[in-house]
């Protein structure tokens, strides 16, 4: 019964997203232009050198193209949807349903991502022309890449829901959401591979969960990381998933109490 309910949320999210086709088109146009820009800038930055910080120019271009396509999949308006429903009071209907509120929002995010994956697959040939793409570094890289992508999606979903819950205290969380997206995109290595970060900043970025959202899958794909380092990364990602799940449960518990307080 609950499974059917969550599937209904997935379908609803896809239907809502399809109502804003112009937004999807604009988002993809911006992404393709950004891929063109960032890959040209990094091509110029190599200045004829074959390798910088252990990465060849070809690998860097593939990394950046792939990372920015992945960013299309993980970007989601769920935080704004959550804030909108808090402002309008519709959140009362959400919390009165038999399915948990975080689960409802997670299902909506899954629906959004399914549509965005379809869009990403459509524009991938254009992205390959504007930036650069090649096959995975090997069979293991090809098999481990979707696993890393799934772990990154779960981590991004948990972080996004945590940001979305701030609406229960702030009502309008637009500023927090924009700041989060900026910080997350930078620390995830979407525009600058983490290997190019200065030492202390790289250490911070590698300790935080953002790298698993973009950098880790892309690095596995191009063969920058492999073997036990991949498995160690997966284990750390699972630890972060456990920690963030606990934090989300705690935050939702307090947010639900906030609704009761507002309701008098």
């Amino acid at each position: 019964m609950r499974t059917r309910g969550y599937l209904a949320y997935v379908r609803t999210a896809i239907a809502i997203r399809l109502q804003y086709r112009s937004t999807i088109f604009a988002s993809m146009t911006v992404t393709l232009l950004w891929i063109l820009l960032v890959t040209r800038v990094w091509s110029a930055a190599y200045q004829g050198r074959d390798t910088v910080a252990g990465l060849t120019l070809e690998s860097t271009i593939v990394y950046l193209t792939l990372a920015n396509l992945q960013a299309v999949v993980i970007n989601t308006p769920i935080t704004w949807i959550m804030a909108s429903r808090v402002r309008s009071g519709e959140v009362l209907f959400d919390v009165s349903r038999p399915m948990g509120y975080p689960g409802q929002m997670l299902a909506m995010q899954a629906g959004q991502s399914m549509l965005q994956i379809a869009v990403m697959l459509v524009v991938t040939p254009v992205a390959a022309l504007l930036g650069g793409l090649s096959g995975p570094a090997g069979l293991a890289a090809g098999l481990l890449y979707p696993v890393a992508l799934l772990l990154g999606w779960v981590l991004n979903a948990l972080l996004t829901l945590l940001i979305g819950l701030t609406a229960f205290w702030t009502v309008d969380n637009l500023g927090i959401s924009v700041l989060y997206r900026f910080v997350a995109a930078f620390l995830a290595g979407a525009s600058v591979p983490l290997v190019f970060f200065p030492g202390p900043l790289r250490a911070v970025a590698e300790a935080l969960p953002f790298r698993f959202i973009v950098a880790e899958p892309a690095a596995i794909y191009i063969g920058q990381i492999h073997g036990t380092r991949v498995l160690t990364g997966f284990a750390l990602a699972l630890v972060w998933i456990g920690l963030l799940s606990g934090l989300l449960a705690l935050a939702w518990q307090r947010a639900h109490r906030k609704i009761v307080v507002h309701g008098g």
Side-chain angles (χ1 to χ4, degrees):
M1 179 65 181
R2 289 190 176 183
T3 302
R4 291 174 59 186
Y6 288 128
L7 289 176
Y9 269 92
V10 172
R11 290 194 295 271
T12 300
I14 295 173
I16 292 174
R17 192 67 171 165
L18 285 174
Q19 290 179 359
Y20 299 95
R21 295 182 183 86
S22 58
T23 302
I24 296 174
F25 178 77
S27 172
M28 292 314 309
T29 302
V30 169
T31 299
L32 291 172
L33 288 175
W34 181 250
I35 287 173
L36 176 65
L37 177 65
V38 77
T39 53
R40 293 302 180 276
V41 167
W42 277 105
S43 296
Y46 267 71
Q47 294 182 332
R49 289 175 290 181
D50 295 329
T51 305
V52 174
L55 274 183
T56 64
L57 174 59
E58 182 183 357
S59 294
T60 301
I61 296 300
V62 172
Y63 171 98
L64 292 169
T65 304
L66 201 58
N68 283 280
L69 287 174
Q70 289 172 196
V72 173
V73 177
I74 63 175
N75 281 337
T76 169
I78 290 298
T79 54
W80 297 313
I81 291 174
M82 292 170 71
S84 171
R85 296 184 76 80
V86 168
R87 284 196 302 272
S88 67
E90 292 175 281
V91 69
L92 288 175
F93 298 105
D94 296 332
V95 298
S96 64
R97 295 189 174 105
M99 300 96 74
Y101 179 75
Q104 295 173 42
M105 296 301 106
L106 190 63
M108 288 193 71
Q109 185 146 313
Q112 297 271 347
S113 295
M114 288 172 67
L115 182 62
Q116 285 164 306
I117 288 172
V119 173
M120 185 193 77
L121 292 176
V122 170
V123 303
T124 291
V126 182
L129 289 173
L130 296 177
L133 278 177
S134 63
L139 178 60
L143 294 174
L144 292 172
Y145 172 71
V147 178
L149 208 55
L150 178 61
L151 290 173
W153 184 88
V154 174
L155 276 169
N156 180 67
L158 293 172
L159 288 165
T160 301
L161 291 183
L162 280 169
I163 296 297
L165 285 181
T166 61
F168 286 80
W169 286 270
T170 63
V171 181
D172 187 352
N173 62 2
L174 178 61
I176 297 174
S177 299
V178 171
L179 179 62
Y180 165 74
R181 291 182 66 170
F182 173 77
V183 172
F186 179 73
L187 292 177
S191 299
V192 180
L194 297 188
V195 71
F196 295 148
F197 281 23
L201 183 58
R202 181 180 175 184
V204 170
E206 290 188 340
L208 294 174
F210 304 109
R211 74 177 170 102
F212 297 106
I213 300 173
V214 173
E216 195 83 354
I220 290 172
Y221 186 89
I222 64 173
Q224 183 191 359
I225 58 175
H226 47 78
T228 55
R229 192 175 166 192
V230 175
L231 300 179
T232 303
F234 285 178
L236 184 57
L238 290 172
V239 170
W240 269 114
I241 288 173
L243 290 174
L244 291 174
S245 297
L247 184 59
L248 179 63
L250 181 62
W252 168 237
Q253 190 179 41
R254 291 183 175 275
H256 187 265
R257 199 178 302 164
K258 197 78 174 175
I259 297 175
V260 175
V261 171
H262 280 321

